[in-house]
């Protein structure tokens, strides 16, 4: 149970922190990363959406009301967004700085790791809770 809560917390808090920083400093980050400002804002906004969704799941988990399908959606979304980060590395290879490339690579790795750990630790617990209710 503690591991499930930890990974949902990492998912939500990480997305909120990164999304907020990106949106607050989008001009600076765009310049440092070599990204267009619209892309930077989209990254920040997407992180806030992810943080909201996984935060809602964390609250539902705490109340014992989390359903398996919500975690499956989170795992799929994290996987696709992580892969999207790698696609953006390829797409932006001419204009992104090394910092921008590394940031996208790390975000992709982080999201794919979260998807893996949520599948390994959160999904089985939620599946067991669903059977009990």
């Amino acid at each position: 149970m503690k591991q499930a809560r930890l990974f949902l917390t990492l998912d939500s808090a990480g997305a909120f922190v990164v999304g907020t920083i990106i949106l607050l400093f989008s001009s600076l980050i765009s310049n440092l990363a070599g990204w267009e400002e619209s892309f930077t804002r989209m990254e920040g906004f997407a992180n806030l959406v992810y943080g909201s969704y996984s935060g809602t799941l964390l609250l539902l988990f705490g109340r014992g009301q989390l359903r398996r399908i919500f975690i499956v959606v989170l795992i799929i979304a994290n996987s696709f967004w992580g892969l999207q980060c790698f696609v953006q590395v390829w797409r932006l290879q001419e204009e992104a700085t090394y910092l921008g490339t590394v940031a996208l690579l790390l975000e992709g790795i982080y999201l794919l790791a979260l998807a893996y750990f949520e599948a390994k630790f959160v999904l089985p617990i939620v599946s067991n809770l669903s059977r009990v209710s």
Side-chain angles (χ1 to χ4, degrees):
M1 290 278 270
K2 286 183 182 181
Q3 289 172 326
R5 186 178 313 280
L6 170 69
F7 290 115
L8 288 173
T9 301
L10 284 174
D11 198 332
S12 181
F16 272 129
V17 168
V18 170
T20 301
I21 289 170
I22 288 174
L23 289 176
L24 286 175
F25 302 104
S26 62
S27 293
L28 175 63
I29 292 171
S30 293
N31 289 332
L32 290 174
W35 303 337
E36 289 188 23
E37 195 154 345
S38 60
F39 176 79
T40 305
R41 278 190 240 110
M42 185 268 313
E43 280 282 318
F45 180 72
N47 274 283
L48 291 182
V49 170
Y50 268 92
S52 297
Y53 183 72
S54 55
T56 300
L57 298 188
L58 180 60
L59 292 173
L60 290 173
F61 180 75
R63 295 178 184 157
Q65 299 172 337
L66 186 56
R67 299 291 173 245
R68 176 182 167 84
I69 186 65
F70 299 139
I71 294 299
V72 170
V73 168
L74 181 65
I75 292 165
I76 291 169
N78 279 342
S79 298
F80 278 126
W81 192 259
L83 294 174
Q84 180 274 151
C85 289
F86 298 133
V87 169
Q88 294 303 328
V89 166
W90 178 78
R91 185 183 75 81
L92 298 170
Q93 64 187 337
E94 298 295 321
E95 57 211 53
T97 63
Y98 288 118
L99 183 62
T101 300
V102 168
L104 285 171
L105 287 172
L106 290 175
E107 182 178 7
I109 292 167
Y110 180 76
L111 288 166
L112 290 176
L114 274 175
Y116 170 78
F117 289 121
E118 286 164 346
K120 183 173 175 132
F121 295 109
V122 181
L123 192 58
I125 289 173
V126 171
S127 295
N128 289 336
L129 290 176
S130 295
R131 281 181 239 175
V132 173
S133 340

